[in-house]
Amino acid sequence: MADAIDCIVVGGGLAGLACARELVRRGRDVRLVEAAAAVGGRGATDTVDGFRIDRGFQVYLDAYPEGRRQLDLGALKLGRFHPGALVAGGGRRRRVADPWRRPLTAVGSLLAGTVGPAAALRVARLRSEVLARFAAGKLDPDAPVTAAARTTREALEAHGFSDRFLARFFEPFFGGVFLERGLETAEPIFAFTFAMFALGSACLPAGGMAAIPRQLAAGLPADAVEVGTPVDAVEAGRVRLADGRILAARAVVVATDGRSAARLLPVGLLPAMAKPRADKEARLVAFAAENSPLGEPTLVVSADRAEPIDNLTVPSDVAAGYAPAGAALVYASVRPDWSGDDASAAAAVVRQARGWFGRCVEQWRALATLRVGHALPDESPAARLARPTGPRLAAGLFICGDHVTSASINGALAGGRAAAEAVDADLGRG
C-alpha cells in the first residue's frame, strides 16, 4: 500500500465533488472517479438547439448555509424567482406572495380570497416558529430522526391548516419541491426548507444548474478527476474499476446514489440498505417559445389534480443563458402520479397550459422530455430511520450523498464535507 494515495472518491455529483474539494483543501492527495462523461450527477445541464435544459426541475436556495460556506455565489450570477408562487387551477391563476417581502402583493392575495385571514395567521405563526428553531440551531435537516417523527402533513394539520388550504397551497408548492403530493416527507425536512424560502430566494445560476458542480470541480487539480470510469466494487483500501484496474488508497468514499452504494459496497456492510430507500422519479418537458407566457420570474404550481403539470417555470425569465436571444425556455415538471407516457406528455402539458395562458401555448415547440430515475430519495420518517448514522462505515471506508444526509443541494454539500472531515481525521491517526 506504499503507493496508495490518500483517498479515492467514487462519484462526481455534488456530494463527491464537495468531499474531494474539502480533502484537497486539507492537503490530501485525492482521486475522483465518475462513471458518466462529465461530473455533476443530477446537477447536469444539457444543450438542445441552443437552449440549456437542467436534469429535471431544480432551484438553488440562496439561504442554504452550506452553500454560503462552500460556493462563490457571486460567480454563479444567480437569477432570483419572486417570493411566493402562482397557484393555477380550474383555469385560474391565484397569486400567493410573501407578505414580509411583497406586502402589497400579499394583501392582494388576501383580498382575492387566495389566502384567508385564518390561514394567513397560521402561516405567520409557522414562519415565526421555524425561523426561531433555525436561529437557535435546532433545525438540522441532517440530524437523526426518531420513530415518533411526524410527516409534513401531520405537522401542518397540527398547526390547524384546513384540507382546503393544504390542497390549494402546501400540496402543489411543497409537493413539487419534494416530488410527492402526499406530504409524507419528514417534518424536519419541511421546516428547514420552509425556513430557507423565508430567509432567501429560489434561484437559478446563469446558464443552468451545471454551473454549481462546475465551480466545485474547478477547485480540484486537473489530474484528480477521471470521468467515463465506471466502478464494479469497493472495499476498504481498494476500488475495482469496470475495465479491470485496481486503484489503491488509504481511504475510499462512496459518493453515489443509495442504490449504487448498496451494489458497490461489500455485502452486509449496510444491512439497513439491503433494500435501499425508494427513489422518487422526476420528469420534465422542455419547450421553446417565442415569448414567455409569464413575463416575470415566478413559479406556477398546479392545483389541478388530474392533470400532468406539477409546476411550470420559464428559466429564461429568471437567469441569463437559458435560451437564445429572442426566445424563451419553458419547463413543465410532470406530476409523479400522472400515468401518461413520455410520448404523450408534451401534448398533455400544452392542453393544460392552454387553460392558464390561452392559445399562445399552441406555438410551443417540444425540445425534450427528461426522466431522472433517482431524483430524490424517499424522505418519509420511516425511510430516514434506515440511513447510515454517519459517513464512516468501517476503517478506511466512508459514504456520503443526499440519501445519507437530506435530499437537497445543502444536504449533498454538507454530507460531502462531513465525509471529508471523517476521512481526514482517520488518516491523521494513521
Side-chain angles (χ1 to χ4, degrees):
M1 193 70 69
D3 296 328
I5 63 174
D6 288 329
C7 185
I8 297 170
V9 178
V10 179
L14 294 181
L17 289 167
C19 177
R21 198 172 74 160
E22 178 65 18
L23 285 168
V24 168
R25 192 185 70 80
R26 291 168 177 261
R28 299 297 183 178
D29 184 17
V30 178
R31 186 169 183 181
L32 184 148
V33 293
E34 163 60 41
V39 298
R42 287 164 288 169
T45 303
D46 300 314
T47 302
V48 179
D49 293 348
F51 293 86
R52 301 285 286 166
I53 302 174
D54 296 322
R55 300 275 177 89
F57 170 68
Q58 302 177 58
V59 295
Y60 177 79
L61 302 183
D62 62 2
Y64 278 150
E66 200 64 34
R68 293 184 173 187
R69 180 174 187 161
Q70 296 195 38
L71 299 174
D72 180 350
L73 298 182
L76 292 175
K77 300 179 181 177
L78 297 171
R80 290 169 170 81
F81 286 86
H82 287 332
L86 290 171
V87 181
R92 294 182 60 193
R93 287 177 285 164
R94 302 175 176 88
R95 192 176 298 274
V96 179
D98 184 334
W100 286 267
R101 284 180 287 177
R102 304 190 78 192
L104 294 179
T105 305
V107 169
S109 299
L110 188 64
L111 295 175
T114 305
V115 180
L121 287 173
R122 291 188 178 96
V123 171
R125 285 197 294 268
L126 176 63
R127 183 183 190 275
S128 178
E129 176 191 306
V130 299
L131 291 184
R133 288 166 63 188
F134 181 74
K138 298 179 179 179
L139 193 51
D140 180 1
D142 304 332
V145 299
T146 67
R150 295 184 297 182
T151 66
T152 297
R153 181 175 294 278
E154 290 168 342
L156 292 173
E157 289 173 345
H159 275 84
F161 290 106
S162 67
D163 289 342
R164 182 171 180 267
F165 190 68
L166 291 179
R168 267 198 166 190
F169 178 68
F170 282 110
E171 284 181 18
F173 189 92
F174 284 96
V177 173
F178 299 141
L179 298 181
E180 51 97 3
R181 290 294 182 105
L183 300 180
E184 297 299 318
T185 294
E187 186 274 342
I189 303 298
F190 163 76
F192 176 79
T193 306
F194 190 99
M196 295 299 98
F197 276 109
L199 290 170
S201 299
C203 308
L204 293 174
M209 293 297 289
I212 297 175
R214 188 163 57 243
Q215 186 182 105
L216 292 170
L220 299 175
D223 59 353
V225 178
E226 186 173 343
V227 297
T229 307
V231 172
D232 273 352
V234 167
E235 58 188 74
R238 288 162 54 93
V239 172
R240 187 173 75 242
L241 304 180
D243 62 12
R245 286 181 292 155
I246 302 293
L247 303 181
R250 297 170 62 197
V252 177
V253 179
V254 177
T256 65
D257 64 85
R259 289 182 178 273
S260 297
R263 175 180 60 82
L264 294 173
L265 288 163
V267 175
L269 189 61
L270 290 174
M273 296 175 67
K275 293 182 178 179
R277 290 163 64 184
D279 288 314
K280 291 178 280 190
E281 183 179 83
R283 185 163 32 159
L284 177 79
V285 186
F287 298 90
E290 292 184 2
N291 300 290
S292 167
L294 295 172
E296 60 175 308
T298 196
L299 170 69
V300 182
V301 296
S302 174
D304 292 328
R305 294 192 173 189
E307 300 292 342
I309 298 176
D310 200 2
N311 57 63
L312 183 143
T313 59
V314 182
S316 52
D317 282 346
V318 181
Y322 270 93
L329 174 65
V330 180
Y331 283 171
S333 185
V334 177
R335 287 178 62 120
D337 56 358
W338 187 69
S339 59
D341 59 19
D342 289 355
S344 61
V349 164
V350 168
R351 282 196 300 270
Q352 183 182 359
R354 186 188 299 118
W356 301 348
F357 305 116
R359 300 194 63 176
C360 67
V361 305
E362 295 173 4
Q363 305 303 314
W364 293 358
R365 176 170 61 90
L367 292 167
T369 298
L370 303 177
R371 280 185 181 263
V372 182
H374 305 291
L376 290 177
D378 181 0
E379 289 280 59
S380 65
R384 287 177 64 77
L385 285 171
R387 295 180 302 162
T389 56
R392 189 179 190 273
L393 300 174
L397 194 53
F398 302 81
I399 190 169
C400 65
D402 62 0
H403 60 98
V404 179
T405 48
S406 56
S408 67
I409 291 174
N410 191 82
L413 294 175
R417 179 174 59 84
E421 291 170 349
V423 169
D424 190 57
D426 264 26
L427 295 182
R429 292 194 293 265

